[in-house]
Amino acid sequence: MNTHYMHSLDWMILAIYFIILLAIGVWASSKRKKEGSLFLAEHSLRWHHIGFSMWGTNVGPSMLIASASAGFTTGIVSGNYAWYAFVFIALLAFVFAPRYLGAKVHTLPEFMGLRFGQSTRNILAWYTIVTIIISWLALTLFAGGILIRQVFDIPMWMSALVLLIISAFFTMLGGLKAVAYTNVYQMVLLIVVSLTLVIIGLDRVGGVSALVAKVPADYWVMFKPNTDEAFPWLPIILGYPVMGIWFWCTDQSMVQPVLAAKDLREGQLGTNFTGWLKILDVALYILPGIICFALFPTLENPDEAYLTMVENLFPVGMVGLVFAVLTACLVSTIGSALNALSTVFTMDVYVKNFKPGAPQWEINLVGRLVTIIGAALAIVLTIAIDAIKGLNLFNVFQSVLGFIAPPMAAVFVLGIFWKRTTTRAANFALTVGTIFCLTVGILYLWPPEWLQFPWPHFMLLSFELFVILVVSMVVISLTDKDKTVYEIPAPVHESQSRLAIGLWIALAVVMIGLYVYFN
């Protein structure tokens, strides 16, 4: 999508989008108490804020482009990453969230500090800070920078800077409350624009039956045979849970809106809403790629499927709206990540280790400074990533996430479900386990000549690493001489909401129905 696709009406619509976005951000910030915390929105978030925030954090522009690309080449099978997630979002709602809210924590390292002691909290805090800067900030900026560079024809550092200034503005002005309120507006806009694209595309193809006739039959199945190179069913069934638990239940950027819930009921309704929104991923992001295959089967680069649809199907004005949506995805993800970064550093490193009795104004000041420093680091990393030539870096980083997940998933699962897990076992998994997993990941992505053999699918590898770490932690815990016992933080004592349970059962029934129908 080059600048010549943007007409004066497009630019005007883009300007209106930003004016509304800034107005919502300023309004949300004015609702924050003068000396209230920036980090947990004074525990005021309702179900719709939580649902849209979690979904918005998850939907980057790279995901829009990658999903349409996957739809173009393989059909709906990559929708497993969206639909299978409901199991782990439910695990967050009913297993993890009650304990997080019961412990009254700001961060997940703080929660693990209650479970395993200060040493684990320190390790986990730095682990979280590094993953947020690399996987959430630098990667999202890199993907978004490519888009903005295409449209505005400006260098990568400048496009990354523009995005960071907008996102950091909300994070510093109103903290999580401003991020959550602007996310609602941005995600509603995203749904409207993506749905319009699908409807126009279906109309151009000639309807649903015409679309089914024009694409291969296996484009409509969720489980491919194990011989399929890209999406074999067994690695997805076994490997996705490792990434799912890490991503949906233990990642600070994803879980922070739930930590800020008004109460457990709002948290469970909000996560349920995220589950329903995830159903839309296939219809809004993957389906445009399938429609593109039916309309433009000779397209050489599948990564251009989404923008090809936009350029060919949308009238003047709508292109500006699409660019507003892509920017919205970026601002949403980066805003959530910056807020999570400043929360973890301020509460787990600064307040805990340097200034335990710091007043709220000082905590907020440090949070704002960390936002600026984190943003600057992310820009440096984005430029560094952009300088590496000849690699499909995006695919590389996607599989790297499969190697980051096992240590966190193992520590949280055993930490909550097995009270005999010791501090030494947790620290082993977070340090030695992480080094081991990343080494395997590097050898998998860039195998030396002596390691040229058929590797298992990276999702299966992720599952195998998780099993190795769990077994190691069990052995260490059983043989550990240090018998210091930390209690597993008790869940919040609130009667379960019948509405939340009913909606979760309804979601499970719909998801099982969808899986049966698409196989």
Side-chain angles (χ1 to χ4, degrees):
M1 184 154 61
N2 293 315
T3 326
H4 60 266
Y5 289 107
M6 297 278 283
H7 298 81
S8 49
L9 182 61
D10 294 311
W11 290 109
M12 194 168 80
I13 284 170
L14 196 56
I16 291 168
Y17 154 75
F18 277 117
I19 291 164
I20 296 172
L21 185 68
L22 290 171
I24 293 171
V26 172
W27 173 77
S29 306
S30 71
K31 303 290 254 181
R32 190 174 67 83
K33 290 177 189 144
K34 194 82 177 124
E35 282 308 319
S37 166
L38 284 173
F39 305 130
L40 292 186
E42 291 121 10
H43 290 285
S44 64
L45 296 192
R46 303 293 302 277
W47 63 270
H48 52 287
H49 301 129
I50 295 164
F52 277 127
S53 277
M54 289 182 73
W55 192 53
T57 305
N58 182 217
V59 181
S62 49
M63 181 179 154
L64 280 180
I65 286 160
S67 297
S69 172
F72 185 92
T73 51
T74 57
I76 65 167
V77 63
S78 62
N80 278 299
Y81 293 111
W83 285 2
Y84 195 6
F86 89 96
V87 177
F88 309 100
I89 303 173
L91 204 62
L92 170 64
F94 292 102
V95 175
F96 290 91
R99 286 175 170 79
Y100 295 158
L101 293 173
K104 292 185 168 58
V105 291
H106 282 80
T107 69
L108 302 185
E110 185 184 351
F111 177 82
M112 276 297 154
L114 297 175
R115 174 65 182 89
F116 290 119
Q118 185 58 33
S119 59
T120 307
R121 181 176 178 178
N122 288 339
I123 294 167
L124 203 50
W126 286 107
Y127 184 102
T128 305
I129 287 165
V130 170
T131 37
I132 290 174
I133 290 174
I134 294 173
S135 69
W136 282 106
L137 291 174
L139 273 179
T140 307
L141 282 172
F142 173 66
I146 289 173
L147 272 173
I148 290 195
R149 185 164 60 184
Q150 281 179 349
V151 176
F152 294 102
D153 200 25
I154 56 175
M156 176 63 85
W157 69 267
M158 204 182 286
S159 53
L161 186 65
V162 168
L163 289 166
L164 270 171
I165 287 171
I166 299 164
S167 310
F169 172 76
F170 296 124
T171 310
M172 292 166 67
L173 187 72
L176 186 61
K177 187 170 266 193
V179 171
Y181 279 59
T182 49
N183 272 348
V184 174
Y185 158 66
Q186 301 192 108
M187 293 307 107
V188 170
L189 185 66
L190 172 68
I191 292 170
V192 170
V193 172
S194 296
L195 192 59
T196 308
L197 184 64
V198 169
I199 291 167
I200 294 174
L202 279 173
D203 180 61
R204 186 71 62 89
V205 173
V208 176
S209 52
L211 177 65
V212 172
K214 285 182 179 177
V215 301
D218 72 341
Y219 267 41
W220 306 107
V221 295
M222 291 300 283
F223 286 137
K224 298 270 175 113
N226 262 337
T227 49
D228 187 85
E229 272 187 33
F231 297 101
W233 68 268
L234 188 65
I236 288 174
I237 293 280
L238 294 176
Y240 184 80
V242 180
M243 292 173 79
I245 289 170
W246 166 67
F247 187 78
W248 291 106
C249 304
T250 75
D251 184 275
Q252 181 74 26
S253 301
M254 286 308 303
V255 175
Q256 189 141 336
V258 178
L259 299 181
K262 191 167 177 237
D263 51 37
L264 179 62
R265 178 178 182 272
E266 294 293 331
Q268 290 178 337
L269 289 173
T271 48
N272 177 261
F273 185 39
T274 306
W276 290 104
L277 288 169
K278 289 300 288 174
I279 296 177
L280 296 178
D281 284 16
V282 172
L284 297 182
Y285 314 141
I286 295 174
L287 198 55
I290 300 174
I291 295 170
C292 184
F293 180 82
L295 290 173
F296 312 101
T298 55
L299 184 69
E300 285 181 13
N301 183 2
D303 288 347
E304 290 172 4
Y306 190 85
L307 296 182
T308 301
M309 291 279 285
V310 168
E311 287 162 14
N312 288 285
L313 302 185
F314 272 171
V316 172
M318 280 298 280
V319 176
L321 204 54
V322 169
F323 194 67
V325 161
L326 293 172
T327 313
C329 294
L330 278 162
V331 170
S332 179
T333 305
I334 296 166
S336 301
L338 283 173
N339 192 60
L341 177 74
S342 69
T343 308
V344 171
F345 184 87
T346 307
M347 303 311 295
D348 291 310
V349 178
Y350 182 77
V351 173
K352 184 66 186 171
N353 294 321
F354 297 108
K355 199 88 181 282
Q360 190 61 54
W361 67 266
E362 187 180 329
I363 291 171
N364 286 351
L365 176 67
V366 172
R368 290 186 171 109
L369 288 173
V370 171
T371 302
I372 294 169
I373 295 163
L377 266 175
I379 286 187
V380 172
L381 271 173
T382 306
I383 296 164
I385 291 169
D386 191 45
I388 303 172
K389 298 285 180 253
L391 275 175
N392 184 338
L393 275 166
F394 203 77
N395 290 348
V396 168
F397 278 115
Q398 283 305 312
S399 40
V400 163
L401 298 184
F403 299 107
I404 290 175
M408 284 281 273
V411 169
F412 273 80
V413 166
L414 281 185
I416 280 184
F417 290 106
W418 192 45
K419 63 181 180 205
R420 290 180 66 184
T421 314
T422 64
T423 303
R424 186 167 291 151
N427 292 354
F428 171 85
L430 289 171
T431 51
V432 179
T434 300
I435 294 165
F436 171 63
C437 290
L438 290 178
T439 305
V440 171
I442 290 163
L443 293 175
Y444 170 83
L445 292 164
W446 299 285
E449 281 186 21
W450 53 273
L451 259 183
Q452 301 287 351
F453 65 88
W455 284 79
H457 190 277
F458 80 89
M459 295 282 260
L460 199 57
L461 204 51
S462 185
F463 172 73
E464 287 163 357
L465 291 169
F466 172 76
V467 171
I468 290 167
L469 288 181
V470 167
V471 171
S472 307
M473 286 178 70
V474 169
V475 170
I476 291 169
S477 297
L478 293 174
T479 56
D480 198 348
K481 297 281 192 290
D482 180 8
K483 296 300 176 192
T484 309
V485 177
Y486 292 93
E487 288 299 312
I488 298 174
V492 66
H493 294 297
E494 242 178 75
S495 56
Q496 296 281 1
S497 155
R498 283 186 184 172
L499 177 62
I501 292 168
L503 284 170
W504 270 107
I505 292 169
L507 178 62
V509 170
V510 168
M511 294 311 304
I512 292 164
L514 284 169
Y515 264 102
V516 170
Y517 181 77
F518 284 105
N519 278 301

